[in-house]
Amino acid sequence: MNVVEFIKNKVMRLLGLTKTGDPNSKRLTYINDEEAIRLSNIKANELWYVGNGDELLAWYTSEQTYGFAENPIYNRNKRLMFWGMSVNEMVKRIHSGIPRAIIDVISSIVGKPAIESMDMRLDDIFETNDFEFMLIQQSRPMTLAKGDGAWKININPALSNNPLIEWYDAENWGPLVKSNIMLGMWFKSFYKDDDNKNYVLYETRTLRPEGLAIEYQLFQL
């Protein structure tokens, strides 16, 4: 059992059986792995936003060799895109940077929202986390580019007396939903130790009758 299957089984045990789409749907006939397609689309959107031609070429080269073969029918159109067709051509490929310029301008124009609270510490919390920069330069642009994202609030007195806000991109978090009610979220973080061993930490936060429950599972990659 791999890490993804472990987390899926854990979520199913937590939520009980949940409604799904029709497993015999014609749409699913052409999709072998919905999660792989979701992550592939997120990565592609991120690279188009970043606008680095070398990174785009490297990704399309890898996908032509490995990724697109996982869902050959679904990804057939991507194989025929210019960046996919030209991976073996000795030509210079560049990116205009227009998608990033559009997203960044939109994010800057919208600016910082007006947030009011009876808690007088709110301004201190925002200042501790440099919230305006995080919102305008990080979370909002990446939400527009990747489709979604989530905030995680941490309490760590060793670092700050204020709550710490951490942003998670679309591929590193997910909601836990039952009967259209959001019961919690999972977060995925990556670490490396002194021996250069890589780890992934899954954190699950759920609301239960007794309060908030936080669970951790650490896996070596």
Side-chain angles (χ1 to χ4, degrees), residues 63-74:
E63 289 297 288
Q64 284 284 63
T65 306
Y66 306 106
F68 294 155
E70 294 180 357
N71 291 275
I73 298 178
Y74 183 89

Side-chain angles (χ1 to χ4, degrees), residues 38-89:
R38 184 184 76 88
L39 294 176
S40 176
N41 289 336
I42 290 174
K43 186 61 179 178
N45 292 341
E46 177 186 11
L47 291 174
W48 281 107
Y49 167 75
V50 171
N52 185 307
D54 293 333
E55 291 187 18
L56 271 169
L57 179 59
W59 184 79
Y60 272 98
T61 302
S62 175
E63 289 297 288
Q64 284 284 63
T65 306
Y66 306 106
F68 294 155
E70 294 180 357
N71 291 275
I73 298 178
Y74 183 89
N75 288 316
R76 184 169 53 180
N77 192 43
K78 291 183 180 179
R79 283 183 174 273
L80 300 178
M81 292 180 65
F82 168 76
W83 287 85
M85 293 281 287
S86 67
V87 295
N88 296 319
E89 301 295 331

